[in-house]
Amino acid sequence: MLVHLEEDAQARQRAEAERDAVLSRLYRAGQDERRRLARDLHDHAGQQLVTLTFGLRKIASRLSCPTALHEVEQLLRHTQDIGQSLRRVTLELRPAALDEFGFVTALRSLVDEWSRVTEIVTEFQIVGEELDFPLETAITLYRLAQEALTNVAKHAGPDVSVSVVLRFSALQVTLTIDDNGSGFAADEAIATSLVSQGKLGLLGMRERMSLVDGTLNIESAPGRGTSIVARAYRSVEERGHA
């Protein structure tokens, strides 16, 4: 019986490992597709909007009829609105700064822009020497920061301030986002408690971290703010030696 139990346990472990490997491959494939779509939107739809805008401006400069000029100016405003929407969608799919300038610069830009738009006082700090780590992990941490900051803006309440700390060590990279807002009743052990409170974004963040072999800890209590700590190993080899 003990032999059978051990064989069953090993079979379950193999099945879980295979499942995790498949999920990780699907996650990477999804990120690759996001990158392709973002590039296509930027290179094709974006350029077409630029051409359309210049064409409408050229037409407007040649019009003498006030009614016609007003209609063309309305079309120009609609075109600009479409361009802004397109940039937002492209950013959601794949932040260009992440590819062009690297994770730290992209994260700093995200935090600065969010703080400017929301007018929430935000501190950004880097601890340790900046080190490389897998692109999938960088994307996941960036998305996590987006989700966490969005939650602060929606739920933290008035007079809130935020601290974002990115910490590098020899083995790990850790992202900590703290706020002194209204908080909520967090139960780390029971995922259903997050569902019951409508914290589906937090569950999504936890699942995304698990796909890059990372962890996510959430600490919060009513009236005591929220602390989100995401940790990920810098490489598969270092994870194996930890």
Side-chain angles (χ1 to χ4, degrees):
M1 182 178 292
L2 290 175
V3 171
H4 288 309
L5 289 174
E6 184 176 352
E7 289 177 348
D8 290 343
Q10 291 175 350
R12 282 196 299 272
Q13 289 176 350
R14 287 194 297 270
E16 290 174 358
E18 291 173 358
R19 179 203 61 191
D20 292 344
V22 170
L23 289 175
S24 294
R25 286 196 295 271
L26 290 173
Y27 181 72
R28 288 193 293 271
Q31 293 300 331
D32 290 341
E33 181 65 11
R34 278 173 170 261
R35 184 177 187 178
R36 184 190 67 78
L37 288 172
R39 186 186 297 114
D40 287 347
L41 285 173
H42 178 271
D43 293 346
H44 300 296
Q47 291 302 318
Q48 290 172 358
L49 276 174
V50 170
T51 302
L52 177 60
T53 299
F54 275 105
L56 288 172
R57 286 175 179 170
K58 184 180 293 186
I59 293 173
S61 67
R62 297 174 180 175
L63 291 175
S64 57
C65 174
T67 302
L69 181 60
H70 176 70
E71 291 176 353
V72 171
E73 288 175 345
Q74 281 187 318
L75 290 174
L76 270 171
R77 285 193 290 271
H78 286 314
T79 304
Q80 291 169 353
D81 291 341
I82 293 171
Q84 291 176 356
S85 298
L86 181 62
R87 282 191 290 274
R88 285 195 296 270
V89 171
T90 303
L91 184 61
E92 286 296 321
L93 285 170
R94 179 78 171 198
L98 200 60
D99 292 321
E100 296 176 8
F101 306 112
F103 173 69
V104 173
T105 301
L107 182 62
R108 187 188 299 276
S109 177
L110 170 68
V111 173
D112 289 345
E113 177 65 11
W114 178 85
S115 179
R116 184 189 67 81
V117 171
T118 61
E119 299 182 344
I120 293 175
V121 176
T122 309
E123 178 187 14
F124 181 77
Q125 183 180 6
I126 299 174
V127 178
E129 181 181 356
E130 182 180 344
L131 299 169
D132 293 331
F133 54 96
L135 180 59
E136 290 84 0
T137 302
I139 295 171
T140 301
L141 290 174
Y142 186 92
R143 297 299 184 200
L144 188 150
Q146 283 182 313
E147 181 68 34
L149 292 174
T150 298
N151 283 342
V152 171
K154 287 181 178 179
H155 307 298
D159 302 322
V160 64
S161 60
V162 177
S163 170
V164 179
V165 179
L166 183 64
R167 185 183 303 273
F168 291 95
S169 69
L171 298 180
Q172 290 182 326
V173 57
T174 304
L175 176 64
T176 304
I177 301 176
D178 294 320
D179 72 71
N180 61 351
S182 55
F184 60 95
D187 186 343
E188 286 290 289
I190 304 176
T192 53
S193 68
L194 295 177
V195 175
S196 66
Q197 298 173 76
K199 307 295 183 180
L200 300 179
L202 297 178
L203 287 178
M205 288 193 292
R206 180 170 290 168
E207 291 172 357
R208 289 196 292 272
M209 285 301 300
S210 69
L211 291 175
V212 294
D213 294 314
T215 61
L216 179 66
N217 294 322
I218 303 168
E219 296 182 1
S220 186
R224 297 186 179 182
T226 301
S227 178
I228 295 175
V229 182
R231 295 184 179 88
Y233 290 97
R234 290 186 49 243
S235 71
V236 175
E237 292 78 10
E238 286 161 344
R239 181 172 65 250
H241 287 89

